[in-house]
Amino acid sequence: MLINGGFDYLVKMVVRDLPHVQTIIEGLLEENVGIAKYFSYIVVKSPSRKHEYPPRLLFEQDRTSE
């Protein structure tokens, strides 16, 4: 994934609830892994579904269309 702007890393998580997010963030900050600041964005509903495919399948489709 290419990221532009104010991000160094983007971490996507699936969690049980909001307190679980807070527990994870607090744990990372306590470990002192070099996080200077963080931003949280909570997605409550996705407007679209994205499907991921193994690259092997994409290459196989290319060969069958020749």
Side-chain angles (χ1 to χ4, degrees):
M1 176 180 297
L2 296 174
I3 300 174
N4 190 9
F7 293 100
D8 288 330
Y9 297 96
L10 173 65
V11 178
K12 294 181 180 183
M13 296 184 281
V14 177
V15 297
R16 295 183 298 264
D17 50 27
L18 291 177
H20 189 211
V21 174
Q22 191 62 35
T23 300
I24 292 170
I25 296 298
E26 288 173 359
L28 288 171
L29 294 173
E30 287 174 6
E31 290 291 323
N32 198 21
V33 294
I35 299 173
K37 61 183 173 179
Y38 70 94
F39 300 93
S40 297
Y41 300 96
I42 308 298
V43 177
V44 293
K45 184 177 181 183
S46 180
S48 63
R49 293 185 90 181
K50 295 180 182 177
H51 301 284
E52 296 179 6
Y53 298 99
R56 173 182 51 81
L57 294 178
L58 296 173
F59 293 121
E60 286 176 3
Q61 290 176 359
D62 286 343
R63 279 190 232 129
T64 59
S65 63
E66 292 178 352

